[in-house]
Amino acid sequence: MAIAKAGRFGTTAAVLAATSASGLAFWEFKRSQIFAADRGFRERYRETGSETRFPFYGKDSGYEIDYMIELGLQPGDRCVACYRLAALPITHAAVLFCHRWKTRGGPAAFDEEAEIELVNGQRHCQHPVRPGPWWCPWYPGGA
């Protein structure tokens, strides 16, 4: 009887481990597709010559508009960030999902906020620490 229970536990654990590994592999595959598209955006940005005129805003077009918006920012303005779950490592995505679930009952419609600062004539938005590798602890807002 005890051997049969141990066998079922071992089978269940093996199925759970295989399912988790498959899910993690799929997550990382989807992340690699997102980053491949981002590399394409950056390459087209460099080929257009926009890097000599405008900073990179992470988009494929519209640099002029974003540059004019940046010029309109004043010290003290708020800057908010909303992370894309699929682009984060699965450990950080799980933390962010729980954070959103916990805080969405409140007024926050974003993950982080910072204030625009003027440093040497340039506008800077100092957000809390951004997510690093999957093994580094991280919490939205740096709390």
Side-chain angles (χ1 to χ4, degrees):
M1 180 82 160
I3 295 173
K5 284 186 178 180
R8 276 188 258 141
F9 176 74
T11 303
T12 303
V15 168
L16 183 61
T19 304
S20 298
S22 298
L24 181 60
F26 179 73
W27 185 273
E28 289 301 319
F29 173 72
K30 296 303 279 181
R31 282 186 70 221
S32 69
Q33 289 179 327
I34 291 170
F35 291 122
D38 182 63
R39 283 190 296 276
F41 291 159
R42 288 180 186 275
E43 187 176 323
R44 283 189 294 278
Y45 167 74
R46 283 190 296 271
E47 289 172 356
T48 63
S50 293
E51 65 187 24
T52 60
R53 298 173 291 163
F54 310 108
F56 181 68
Y57 294 100
K59 299 189 320 183
D60 202 12
S61 61
Y63 306 116
E64 297 88 353
I65 295 168
D66 287 340
Y67 183 66
M68 292 304 176
I69 290 173
E70 181 183 335
L71 291 178
L73 294 173
Q74 298 300 320
D77 288 350
R78 286 181 2 160
C79 180
V80 297
C82 189
Y83 289 107
R84 184 175 177 180
L85 281 176
L88 294 172
I90 198 160
T91 52
H92 298 320
V95 168
L96 182 59
F97 179 80
C98 292
H99 173 74
R100 286 180 180 174
W101 183 70
K102 184 179 83 173
T103 59
R104 287 305 190 240
F110 47 84
D111 298 323
E112 294 179 354
E113 99 178 275
E115 191 172 305
I116 302 294
E117 300 171 352
L118 195 60
V119 178
N120 296 327
Q122 294 183 331
R123 288 148 187 85
H124 291 275
C125 189
Q126 187 65 37
H127 281 276
V129 175
R130 298 301 168 106
W134 67 269
W135 62 85
C136 292
W138 172 78
Y139 190 78

